[in-house]
Amino acid sequence: LAAVSKKNRTKEFHLLKGKTERLLGMGLAGLDSFTEALRLDPGDVALRKECIERAGRMGLVDKQQQLYETAKKVHGEELPYELVAVHLEMLSYNFLFQEYEKIVDWALSFFAKKPLHIATLNLNTAKTLRKMGNDRGAEQLLRQLLQGDMLLAETLFTLAENAVRGRDFVAAVAWKQALRREYLDNTTDSSKELLDIRLILLELLQLKEAGDFKGALALLEGFRKTSTSSAAEGNMAVLMTRLEKERCLLFYRLENFRQAMAVAGDLLAATPFDAEIATVYQILGSRLGQQEGSVLDTALYVAGRPVASKLIAVAAKEIDYHRFETAQEHLQQVLEIYPHSVVGN
């Protein structure tokens, strides 16, 4: 690749270079190559979406913002919804809630004539509100969504899950019943399978909240034996990943540490970064006498630069798992990056 002269470096050249760098674990260099390909074809929506997400996942907020602002200039009034959606997702991922609120307010006006876009924006905003600790605001927004006729299954599932996590099991049962009724008019095999996974997830979360870890694991292992799920994508893939995460955490709770570490390793290798799984993997490595910190060190830094959003997320989980010293170290690094951050509170 290096032998190709600069004047002959096409979009395809930079894409190939970026994919190669990504395979070699050179995430930052790969993003630079993809961005260069995008410069040669600024209207490539799929490529810009990938670049925005990659920048966001690495905590490169300035680069993410630049990619998004350029998209607005390139597309104008035809700005694709998926570019706004991924930008908002990464703002939430990076705990940039003030910027999120500003963009989502603009987006609700910009896409006012697109009901599905509006419903999706509101559903995702409800999840972000819960992440911010505004559970009441999230509940209100979700209930408003029920007044419409779009994304009802997703909304009911989110309400049921929030009720379980809030230990309001009476409300959880009511929302699960409503979720079942919502699927009655849609009886395709794929919709039934999606419903089954959602109900299993809700049931095992409720068992966990009640402290019945053995019962939750038995339920999940029974489901895995009877499930006919093949290669999943979309909502199905997200839910299957969540089930595997719960399986890992249940093994950990039941002190089956080797099995927990095996599942955690598979998740870290094949799915997007998850702070809790990374934290548990670190703890397990210490318990089992393996190198501690290597997974987190790889995940939390890009070209030697700390990724603030990941540091915050991991620190929160380390506190949950009583690893206060390492949590303090990660929070201090965040404050060095963003001196005015509220994480110190």
Side-chain angles (χ1 to χ4, degrees):
L1 290 175
V4 180
S5 64
K6 288 187 177 181
K7 67 178 182 180
N8 292 325
R9 295 183 178 184
T10 62
K11 175 187 176 183
E12 288 69 26
F13 166 85
H14 290 293
L15 287 174
L16 177 59
K17 183 170 179 285
K19 290 174 182 176
T20 302
E21 289 163 337
R22 185 177 63 191
L23 289 172
L24 293 173
M26 301 164 61
L28 188 57
L31 177 60
D32 287 341
S33 294
F34 286 136
T35 303
E36 186 61 23
L38 189 60
R39 185 186 66 80
L40 297 174
D41 184 7
D44 188 330
V45 175
L47 180 57
R48 187 171 297 277
K49 179 182 177 183
E50 182 174 359
C51 288
I52 290 173
E53 181 170 5
R54 288 187 178 281
R57 296 285 180 200
M58 288 190 284
L60 304 175
V61 178
D62 291 342
K63 191 173 189 69
Q64 174 193 332
Q65 186 70 26
Q66 178 188 11
L67 287 161
Y68 172 71
E69 291 298 335
T70 301
K72 292 177 70 176
K73 294 176 182 176
V74 170
H75 297 283
E77 292 299 313
E78 299 300 320
L79 179 65
Y81 171 76
E82 56 261 44
L83 296 181
V84 179
V86 73
H87 182 51
L88 284 168
E89 180 185 357
M90 291 301 100
L91 289 174
S92 178
Y93 177 83
N94 283 297
F95 295 84
L96 298 172
F97 299 128
Q98 287 187 337
E99 182 66 13
Y100 181 99
E101 290 175 345
K102 184 177 76 173
I103 298 297
V104 83
D105 285 346
W106 171 86
L108 288 169
S109 174
F110 188 80
F111 296 108
K113 296 181 180 180
K114 302 289 182 65
L116 181 57
H117 293 343
I118 296 299
T120 306
L121 283 167
N122 284 328
L123 179 60
N124 291 334
T125 297
K127 295 175 182 178
T128 296
L129 286 171
R130 189 167 175 82
K131 183 177 179 179
M132 294 166 62
N134 187 355
D135 292 354
R136 177 173 295 182
E139 177 93 2
Q140 289 174 345
L141 193 51
L142 290 168
R143 286 176 177 271
Q144 288 175 23
L145 277 169
L146 293 180
Q147 305 305 310
D149 59 356
M150 294 182 177
L151 303 180
L152 294 181
E154 289 82 355
T155 302
L156 290 165
F157 173 71
T158 305
L159 282 162
E161 182 179 3
N162 290 352
V164 170
R165 294 193 182 280
R167 301 184 65 81
D168 186 350
F169 299 138
V170 174
V173 170
W175 291 126
K176 282 191 289 184
Q177 290 174 343
L179 181 62
R180 286 191 179 93
R181 289 195 297 270
E182 174 60 24
Y183 276 93
L184 288 178
D185 294 331
N186 187 356
T187 56
T188 64
D189 290 341
S190 60
S191 68
K192 183 181 183 303
E193 192 171 23
L194 194 58
L195 173 63
D196 288 344
I197 294 174
R198 282 176 162 156
L199 292 175
I200 286 290
L201 181 56
L202 290 170
E203 184 65 25
L204 76 85
L205 287 176
Q206 186 162 333
L207 288 169
K208 277 183 63 180
E209 288 293 336
D212 186 1
F213 302 121
K214 288 185 178 180
L217 182 59
L219 177 72
L220 181 49
E221 294 291 64
F223 173 77
R224 293 178 80 249
K225 289 179 181 178
T226 59
S227 175
T228 58
S229 296
S230 55
E233 55 186 34
N235 287 336
M236 187 79 76
V238 172
L239 290 169
M240 293 300 288
T241 297
R242 288 194 59 191
L243 285 176
E244 276 302 287
K245 175 181 176 178
E246 293 300 333
R247 184 167 173 255
C248 170
L249 297 179
L250 286 167
F251 279 132
Y252 175 80
R253 292 288 185 185
L254 294 169
E255 299 188 358
N256 187 342
F257 296 136
R258 293 195 180 279
Q259 191 66 45
M261 193 165 190
V263 178
D266 290 342
L267 285 168
L268 290 170
T271 61
F273 176 79
D274 185 288
E276 185 167 18
I277 293 299
T279 301
V280 167
Y281 191 89
Q282 180 190 41
I283 295 170
L284 291 168
S286 179
R287 283 181 176 273
L288 297 175
Q290 300 184 19
Q291 184 178 2
E292 182 179 2
S294 58
V295 171
L296 283 183
D297 289 344
T298 301
L300 297 179
Y301 300 88
V302 176
R305 180 178 181 272
V307 180
S309 59
K310 292 183 179 180
L311 288 171
I312 295 170
V314 165
K317 292 303 176 184
E318 287 170 333
I319 291 170
D320 289 344
Y321 283 85
H322 298 168
R323 295 175 65 85
F324 301 116
E325 289 186 9
T326 51
Q328 183 61 42
E329 290 173 6
H330 288 138
L331 290 176
Q332 187 58 44
Q333 290 181 61
V334 175
L335 291 172
E336 290 172 2
I337 302 169
Y338 300 120
H340 302 295
S341 174
V342 299
V343 300
N345 299 331

